Amino acid sequence: HSDVHEPEPEAVRELAQQGAILPLEQILERAREHRTGRGLETELEQKRGRYIYEIEMLDDNGEVWELKFDAKSGELLEQEQED
């Protein structure tokens, strides 16, 4: 049993409209401030009552990075290079 939950797309829209989370576009802008490149994959997960955006970015050197953001504040929580 995992404590990670991925909300449905309709729920994600509602959360953004209610102000519970930031829109994905804002998070992608922040991701590009930390890493240049393009987004490969995005996920919104709920972990222990907190929403987390996970963004995979392909940088200009061909390296893949995973950035995790607090979905409500937009704060960068973690970034790591993928193998």
Side-chain angles (χ1 to χ4, degrees):
H1 172 70
S2 170
D3 63 352
V4 175
H5 166 73
E6 289 184 40
E8 296 297 317
E10 307 81 50
V12 172
R13 274 193 296 278
E14 280 184 26
L15 287 165
Q17 286 169 351
Q18 293 164 2
I21 62 172
L22 291 170
L24 178 60
E25 296 77 32
Q26 282 186 35
I27 298 293
L28 287 172
E29 282 174 25
R30 289 175 193 227
R32 289 189 193 100
E33 290 170 11
H34 294 280
R35 291 268 153 225
T36 55
R38 65 186 184 92
L40 296 177
E41 192 178 316
T42 61
E43 284 182 11
L44 178 68
E45 294 182 345
Q46 187 178 15
K47 294 182 182 176
R48 293 181 285 287
R50 183 180 190 186
Y51 287 104
I52 309 286
Y53 276 114
E54 292 185 3
I55 314 288
E56 274 191 12
M57 301 276 296
L58 178 67
D59 74 11
D60 299 336
N61 300 322
E63 312 269 350
V64 175
W65 291 81
E66 183 178 83
L67 290 80
K68 294 184 181 181
F69 290 88
D70 182 296
K72 186 170 178 65
S73 69
E75 173 192 357
L76 178 64
L77 302 172
E78 185 183 322
Q79 62 178 315
E80 60 185 17
Q81 195 170 347
E82 299 281 285
D83 298 333

